[in-house]
Amino acid sequence: MKGILLLNLGTPVAPTRQAVAKFLREFLMDPFVLDINPMARWFLVHGIIAPFRAKKSATAYQKIWTKAGSPLMVHTQNLQNALQKELGPEFLVAIGMRYGEPSVEHAYQTLVKKGVQEILAIPLYPQFADSSTRTVLEDLFKVHRNYSKKISLTHIAEFYHEAGFLKAFASLGRGWMTNFKPDHILFSFHSIPERQLKKQIIAGKVCRNDGQCCEPLEVNNKDCYRAQCFYTARALAKELQLLSDQYSISFQSRLGRIPWAQPYTDKTIIQLAGGGKKRLLVFCPSFVTDCLETLEEIALRGRDSFLEHGGEDLALVPSLNDHPDWVQALANIILQSTQNPLEY
């Protein structure tokens, strides 16, 4: 029996100020997320961000929390169950969260205790970034080193270019395009600081962060998170038969005053509304499970902003979650990867 370990970001255990503050401390103390001097990071997180941002974030979580719990956790568990059914008894599927519970270590140990000798890890981030994919894989590698050398561990680093992933998102989006009838499409990706973007560029090359250097995807920028996002958006636009003037690409969820990957989603939404767009449909293809960043930041705050600046309606295309097309696509990726895996 082979183990499949689905890795995701994690979530507070409850939409309370105390639980959110605890989650923020764990999340932001990660040096891959907040890559500054350790002492400065500790002061910033424990002295400023966690104490003062927790209440605002808890209020945001309360707006999207369900009777079953955190959307991210519920959707990840649903994906786990659907994938287990799709793959059958030859595989055992577990989930691990980089922050919070169930931890990566707990998930790893669960598989080992069930007799699994081979584990394939899949971070549920389509595009590779140090602050998402790398940090959760490093956490897993640490557990693997400390726990057992007898277990075979392989992983999938990214899947932004996989046909099944793209077709599943496009299939989901077509129904929304038909029913919502937008006059513009926005592909909004999670942003990362510009300094983190520049770390991914091959030595000697310059990250211009202007969009032009992100087309096409080539040897000089193939490991660049922003270039991978642009590739995803353009591939989806092609699947959806969109012309270049029918869609835009932007980046959301920035924090603080330092420069992040641009253009910014909040400003793009205002510009589109001010430019006469009335019905805006938003895809978030850096997320495969709905969470605070999609359900609250885009579907609620983003919609309010669009209406405030002259738009008539904004709708969010749900993330893939446990959509049957995505479950089947992910199963196919797994089956192909078990034949040609990237070993740790």
Side-chain angles (χ1 to χ4, degrees):
M1 183 167 57
K2 297 180 179 180
I4 305 300
L5 181 50
L6 302 179
L7 302 170
N8 214 336
L9 178 76
T11 174
V13 296
T16 64
R17 183 173 183 173
Q18 182 179 12
V20 171
K22 180 181 179 181
F23 179 77
L24 286 175
R25 286 193 293 268
E26 184 180 2
F27 172 49
L28 295 174
M29 281 302 293
D30 184 345
F32 287 112
V33 173
L34 197 55
D35 55 340
I36 60 176
N37 178 277
M39 292 185 64
R41 180 170 58 246
W42 192 98
F43 175 79
L44 185 62
V45 173
H46 290 270
I48 300 177
I49 298 178
F52 293 100
R53 189 177 177 85
K55 182 179 179 180
K56 181 178 179 181
S57 294
T59 300
Y61 273 108
Q62 289 163 13
K63 294 178 181 179
I64 66 163
W65 212 262
T66 71
K67 291 182 179 180
S70 163
L72 181 142
M73 181 62 71
V74 172
H75 289 309
T76 305
Q77 290 172 332
N78 289 343
L79 175 61
Q80 174 193 13
N81 294 332
L83 186 61
Q84 181 67 73
K85 184 176 180 181
E86 181 73 20
L87 290 172
E90 293 183 5
F91 294 85
L92 181 61
V93 183
I95 59 174
M97 301 293 173
R98 176 63 182 88
Y99 317 104
E101 299 294 336
S103 67
V104 172
E105 183 174 12
H106 179 272
Y108 183 98
Q109 291 178 348
T110 297
L111 291 174
V112 173
K113 289 176 181 178
K114 293 288 186 178
V116 167
Q117 295 294 315
E118 300 177 28
I119 297 176
L120 172 65
I122 310 171
L124 293 176
Y125 311 109
Q127 302 83 20
F128 184 96
D130 285 354
S131 55
S132 54
T133 314
R134 184 179 177 188
T135 184
V136 76
L137 285 176
E138 290 292 338
D139 192 30
L140 173 62
F141 296 159
K142 180 180 178 181
V143 171
H144 180 64
R145 288 193 298 268
N146 293 338
Y147 194 81
S148 175
K149 290 294 185 180
K150 298 180 181 179
I151 305 300
S152 170
L153 176 63
T154 57
H155 69 276
I156 295 174
E158 66 243 343
F159 51 86
Y160 69 93
H161 55 305
E162 292 285 349
F165 160 70
L166 295 167
K167 290 183 181 299
F169 233 129
S171 176
L172 179 61
R174 285 191 193 96
W176 279 83
M177 291 175 64
T178 299
N179 296 325
F180 184 72
K181 295 179 173 57
D183 54 12
H184 199 75
I185 302 292
L186 178 63
F187 296 107
S188 178
F189 296 84
H190 198 290
S191 191
I192 63 174
E194 282 187 9
R195 66 171 180 266
Q196 293 184 13
L197 279 175
K198 294 174 181 178
K199 290 179 181 178
Q200 296 177 300
I201 306 301
I202 292 177
K205 299 298 179 180
V206 177
C207 176
R208 300 199 308 268
N209 194 28
D210 61 3
Q212 302 304 313
C213 59
C214 292
E215 183 182 6
L217 195 71
E218 55 187 14
V219 66
N220 292 330
N221 65 3
K222 66 180 180 63
D223 295 325
C224 173
Y225 171 78
R226 190 170 182 273
Q228 292 181 359
C229 290
F230 270 70
Y231 179 96
T232 302
R234 288 166 179 145
L236 284 173
K238 183 177 180 179
E239 286 282 342
L240 296 168
Q241 298 181 328
L242 298 175
L243 300 177
S244 60
D245 63 348
Q246 293 178 310
Y247 70 94
S248 301
I249 303 170
S250 62
F251 295 84
Q252 64 181 87
S253 309
R254 70 187 189 277
L255 177 66
R257 299 178 181 179
I258 62 171
W260 287 57
Q262 300 183 42
Y264 299 140
T265 292
D266 55 349
K267 294 184 178 181
T268 299
I269 286 174
I270 293 173
Q271 291 169 356
L272 290 172
K277 302 302 181 185
K278 296 300 181 182
R279 300 181 64 79
L280 182 64
L281 185 62
V282 184
F283 289 71
C284 294
S286 56
F287 303 91
V288 295
T289 47
D290 274 314
C291 55
L292 187 71
E293 286 81 358
T294 61
L295 299 174
E296 193 275 335
E297 184 179 355
I298 298 298
L300 296 181
R301 279 191 288 135
R303 183 176 185 273
D304 288 346
S305 178
F306 186 66
L307 270 58
E308 179 184 348
H309 290 86
E312 293 181 357
D313 203 0
L314 179 152
L316 169 73
V317 176
S319 292
L320 293 172
N321 298 320
D322 62 336
H323 190 281
D325 289 352
W326 169 229
V327 174
Q328 186 176 46
L330 184 55
N332 290 336
I333 292 172
I334 289 169
L335 293 175
Q336 293 171 6
S337 296
T338 53
Q339 298 173 3
N340 187 27
L342 182 59
E343 295 185 6
Y344 162 64

